Amino acid sequence: MFGHRRNVGGFDRLVLAATLLVLGYRNRNRTLGTLAFIAGSDILATAVIQRCPVNAVLGIDTCGTGG
């Protein structure tokens, strides 16, 4: 089925998510820190579930296993 194919992979996404979460938390009193935390949360969620709706619409697959 179209909606359940994995399309996100890579350890680099977890590292990026963790970095944004830490930077966002450390600067949580600033707008940019809040935005970094939100972006990190989104990237972490897509990395954990290995599914990104934007990637699916654009036909991007960074998983490399073919689903």
Side-chain angles (χ1 to χ4, degrees):
M1 181 176 203
F2 173 74
H4 299 291
R5 185 169 176 255
R6 290 185 296 178
N7 63 4
V8 173
F11 181 71
D12 54 333
R13 296 209 186 257
L14 291 174
V15 172
L16 176 62
T19 302
L20 286 171
L21 286 169
V22 168
L23 287 173
Y25 182 76
R26 293 181 91 196
N27 296 296
R28 63 188 173 274
N29 294 330
R30 302 174 71 191
T31 302
L32 193 55
T34 302
L35 293 174
F37 191 84
I38 292 169
S41 299
D42 181 58
I43 293 171
L44 179 64
T46 58
V48 168
I49 63 172
Q50 296 183 335
R51 173 89 178 104
C52 178
V54 174
N55 282 6
V57 168
L58 297 176
I60 299 170
D61 184 358
T62 61
C63 193
T65 62

